Amino acid sequence: TAPASIRRIGILISAAIGDTIVFSPLLKALKKKLPQTEIVLFVGPSNKPCVSLLEGMDTIVDIDPHHFIASAKRVRDSGKFDLWFDVGQWPRLNALLSFFARSGFRVGFQTAGQYRHFLYDRVVRHSSEIHEWQNFARLIRSTVDIEVDLPQLNIPAHPVRDQIVIHPFAGGAKPYLKEWPDIKWKKLVDHLTAQGHSIVLSAGTEDRDRAAELSQHFEQRDRVQIIPKGTSLKELGVTMRESRLVISVNTGAMHLAAALGVKTLGI
């Protein structure tokens, strides 16, 4: 049975930036519901850059699921938890790491075809028929009754410029399945610059060479700026808040723009 007294909660979310942003209102709602409870957030290399944008956790613990033994030891050494949530929908490694958590009650997803749910005390069936933030809400609400809003990140508003952010590159597994052909980006950017708009081409560190190559094919390259190297996620958020529109493939940048309330076109 679920614990009657919850003094300490562990949350494992080592997924990409997009899922972490989508989960962010649950974290805030948990803290609002249980203000005296310590919330420890376990994050991985792929989503750590967005942790500074989140509210509601008291402690952050870095893990790397690719280094399982070291990560399991960090989980084990993090002390006892009254309640543990595994937010991962698919990775079996998350379920194994949750097994090593010193918690009396573990909650996680049962996802079709993954056979990862046998190590949890309470299981929530993951659904592909609803938005992911609703799946996350069902996971937390299975044990703690919270009120949840849509994701909304706290980056101050800035004066809007006549610029459009375009993020053509996806992250995560098999990113090419989410991406548009370069020729379509060229047609779109040429159309927008011909109307007088300035373009900020957004790309992560691993995609900067691709962005530079893509920009060479635009008709008005002087109206296209590649976002500076080393731009943090928060700085990208500020640039988005300054823009009239964000056009992005289905990746963390799209969820970031949506959570900031910027007009967003997701491809």
Side-chain angles (χ1 to χ4, degrees), residues 32-257:
K32 183 178 180 180
K33 179 74 175 184
L34 303 169
Q36 303 305 316
T37 297
E38 181 187 1
I39 298 178
V40 182
L41 195 66
F42 293 80
V43 300
S46 60
N47 65 340
K48 186 180 178 181
C50 72
V51 170
S52 63
L53 303 178
L54 308 184
E55 300 177 60
M57 66 281 186
D58 299 286
T59 307
I60 299 168
V61 178
D62 296 333
I63 61 168
D64 187 346
H66 294 98
H67 297 88
F68 178 77
I69 294 176
S71 295
K73 188 175 186 304
R74 293 212 76 180
V75 168
R76 194 71 179 169
D77 291 346
S78 295
K80 293 182 179 181
F81 298 94
D82 301 297
L83 181 59
W84 178 273
F85 290 107
D86 174 11
V87 180
Q89 311 96 313
W90 294 281
R92 298 184 183 98
L93 280 177
N94 275 39
L96 291 173
L97 285 174
S98 298
F99 173 76
F100 283 95
R102 295 165 61 191
S103 176
F105 199 80
R106 302 177 183 87
V107 184
F109 283 116
Q110 178 182 359
T111 307
Q114 292 303 99
Y115 307 103
R116 61 184 304 281
H117 59 282
F118 300 104
L119 299 177
Y120 304 122
D121 299 291
R122 176 167 291 164
V123 171
V124 175
R125 190 179 297 273
H126 181 271
S127 172
S128 60
E129 303 300 320
I130 59 178
H131 196 282
E132 208 62 81
W133 85 273
Q134 293 171 292
N135 277 310
F136 293 149
R138 289 173 58 200
L139 183 78
I140 302 300
R141 283 174 170 164
S142 71
T143 309
V144 182
D145 183 22
I146 57 172
E147 296 182 7
V148 189
D149 297 319
L150 287 169
Q152 186 174 12
L153 298 178
N154 184 26
I155 290 181
H158 289 72
V160 176
R161 305 176 184 179
D162 187 15
Q163 67 182 22
I164 296 172
V165 174
I166 289 183
H167 191 96
F169 311 114
K174 298 182 179 180
Y176 55 87
L177 295 176
K178 305 177 184 179
E179 295 181 350
W180 242 14
D182 287 356
I183 186 62
K184 292 186 179 291
W185 288 116
K186 172 177 163 45
K187 289 180 179 179
L188 176 61
V189 170
D190 288 346
H191 174 75
L192 293 172
T193 53
Q195 292 184 330
H197 300 294
S198 297
I199 304 297
V200 178
L201 196 60
S202 171
T205 303
E206 67 280 3
D207 293 314
R208 289 190 61 80
D209 290 343
R210 294 178 64 193
E213 172 62 25
L214 179 61
S215 69
Q216 295 302 309
H217 301 287
F218 300 146
E219 291 179 0
Q220 296 191 45
R221 282 180 284 174
D222 59 317
R223 301 194 70 89
V224 179
Q225 167 196 353
I226 300 177
I227 202 157
K229 183 178 180 181
T231 299
S232 69
L233 201 67
K234 188 168 186 177
E235 290 168 334
L236 174 60
V238 170
T239 299
M240 288 177 169
R241 287 296 299 265
E242 294 174 339
S243 303
R244 296 181 60 182
L245 175 68
V246 173
I247 304 173
S248 174
V249 295
N250 180 14
T251 193
M254 182 189 75
H255 295 294
L256 175 62

